[in-house]
Amino acid sequence: MDEPIQRQAFTPEDPKLAHALFGQQDRHLRQIERLTGVRISSKGTSALLSGPDEVREHALRLLTGLERLLKGGFPLRPTDIEYADRILRMDATADLASIFLDTVIVSSRNKSIAPKTIAQKAYLDAMRGCDVVFGLGPAGTGKTYLAMAMAVAMLKKKEVSRIILVRPAVEAGEKLGFLPGDLAEKVNPYLRPLYDALYDLMDVDRGQALIDHGVIEVAPLAFMRGRTLNDAFIILDEAQNTTTEQMKMFLTRLGFGSRAVITGDVTQIDLPTGRASGLVQATEVLARVEGVRFIRFSDMDVVRHPIVQAIVRAYDSHLPG
């Protein structure tokens, strides 16, 4: 027997927020209908929700949480409604305001950088409290970008004196000789994604000036050997393509007043056959080491264009393993 359809009214505590919450011509309400399966009609500053109890209660939690975001000054966008719905499906008790309003930094484009998923929030909290943090998961989950945002924020607050951005220069063992050009030209293509993230967070001229003065360093992993890095925020990106020896070498560069964030996707290893990934081994070796945190992302944490999440899921279901 079908569950009876129930109706329930929702009225924002602050009627002035109704227009922003409901959206122009009720576009936000129509989006919530598509996401939740509830039926919504509006009259003035009130909305009437129709549907089975479970569906209706989820939609009410979503509307209540979104209203709190608007009260906190959050500029509500359609993508944020989708992220909020996703969060509440994973954890019905989640506090949307504590996630979306946790601004790390405001970029040069006046964009507030804040978490959009439960895992992203845990990742930021881990970076604030731990010396070594591993961010593991698929592309589009914000692993590198949020680490960069935290690094820039800590630099601005003078909590660190420099930022060091590191990548394996060439997936198959950093063999640069076959590439054309001088050393800088050889490694720059592999470091470009780090520059892109940096320049999205701060003005290009400012970022380049900090690089020129050595406050921000972008370097291939091989350049870390023999160094001790004090008072620095160090990011190792694409860490799945490090060997065991390279990972140990990198982690032992950490000096006083420094913290390291290591990002990677263990499903995208490009090392030669027979070479173990240093990232995979680190998850086993360091699992119980105090001061080290592992944050694992999934396709549910993808926050790029919505099609990216669908692509990740499609490949996961199609490819073996």
Side-chain angles (χ1 to χ4, degrees):
M1 184 175 179
D2 292 339
E3 186 176 347
I5 301 298
Q6 301 292 335
R7 292 175 175 80
Q8 188 169 351
F10 171 83
T11 303
E13 292 181 7
D14 184 351
K16 295 178 182 177
L17 296 177
H19 178 72
L21 179 59
F22 295 174
Q24 187 175 9
Q25 298 180 332
D26 288 348
R27 288 178 183 174
H28 292 168
L29 295 183
R30 301 288 79 79
Q31 182 181 7
I32 292 171
E33 280 187 326
R34 291 192 298 271
L35 290 169
T36 65
V38 76
R39 294 293 301 275
I40 308 177
S41 59
S42 67
K43 185 176 182 180
T45 60
S46 295
L48 182 65
L49 283 63
S50 304
D53 287 348
E54 184 177 345
V55 172
R56 194 180 67 257
E57 288 167 5
H58 173 73
L60 282 170
R61 283 193 296 268
L62 180 56
L63 283 164
T64 302
L66 294 175
E67 182 188 2
R68 286 195 62 199
L69 293 182
L70 289 169
K71 283 182 178 179
F74 188 84
L76 191 61
R77 294 176 291 265
T79 51
D80 298 314
I81 296 174
E82 181 181 340
Y83 300 147
D85 173 70
R86 199 186 304 176
I87 288 169
L88 291 176
R89 288 187 185 280
M90 295 179 68
D91 180 1
T93 66
D95 180 2
L96 296 180
S98 70
I99 297 173
F100 284 84
L101 299 179
D102 183 13
T103 300
V104 182
I105 193 173
V106 177
S107 73
S108 59
R109 302 177 185 179
N110 204 33
K111 176 185 174 184
S112 295
I113 309 302
K116 302 293 186 185
T117 72
I118 293 172
Q120 286 191 353
K121 170 64 173 170
Y123 188 47
L124 292 177
D125 290 342
M127 286 190 281
R128 292 179 177 117
C130 299
D131 292 330
V132 178
V133 176
F134 286 80
L136 311 171
T141 52
K143 305 182 302 294
T144 302
Y145 192 83
L146 287 177
M148 188 78 76
M150 183 63 73
V152 172
M154 292 185 68
L155 181 68
K156 287 186 173 182
K157 295 176 184 176
K158 302 188 184 304
E159 294 177 17
V160 295
S161 61
R162 55 182 173 156
I163 298 172
I164 301 174
L165 311 173
V166 186
R167 257 192 167 201
V170 178
E171 290 82 355
E174 300 192 12
K175 295 177 181 177
L176 304 174
F178 68 92
L179 293 172
D182 60 22
L183 185 58
E185 292 171 327
K186 290 174 189 288
V187 301
N188 266 341
Y190 298 94
L191 304 176
R192 189 74 254 167
L194 296 175
Y195 285 106
D196 290 344
L198 176 64
Y199 294 146
D200 194 52
L201 289 164
M202 64 170 55
D203 179 81
V204 174
D205 291 338
R206 174 62 176 160
Q208 190 58 53
L210 292 174
I211 291 172
D212 292 342
H213 287 88
V215 176
I216 297 176
E217 179 182 350
V218 187
L221 179 58
F223 283 26
M224 296 298 103
R225 197 173 302 278
R227 302 176 64 181
T228 300
L229 306 172
N230 296 315
D231 197 27
F233 196 113
I234 314 153
I235 300 172
L236 172 58
D237 193 34
E238 297 289 341
Q240 74 274 7
N241 291 321
T242 62
T243 63
T244 297
E245 296 79 13
Q246 288 171 335
M247 179 61 76
K248 181 180 178 182
M249 178 273 290
F250 172 80
L251 291 171
T252 53
R253 300 308 93 204
L254 197 64
F256 293 105
S258 291
R259 63 189 63 203
V261 178
I262 300 95
T263 71
D265 179 359
V266 296
T267 69
Q268 300 292 324
I269 297 170
D270 297 310
L271 291 168
T273 303
R275 298 300 298 273
S277 167
L279 181 60
V280 172
Q281 190 172 56
T283 62
E284 302 167 359
V285 173
L286 305 177
R288 294 178 177 82
V289 175
E290 188 175 351
V292 177
R293 282 283 307 278
F294 291 89
I295 304 297
R296 289 175 168 82
F297 298 87
S298 72
D299 64 298
M300 292 298 292
D301 298 298
V302 172
V303 293
R304 289 181 179 171
H305 191 288
I307 195 65
V308 174
Q309 183 185 10
I311 290 171
V312 171
R313 284 178 171 171
Y315 271 96
D316 285 347
S317 63
H318 180 75
L319 297 177

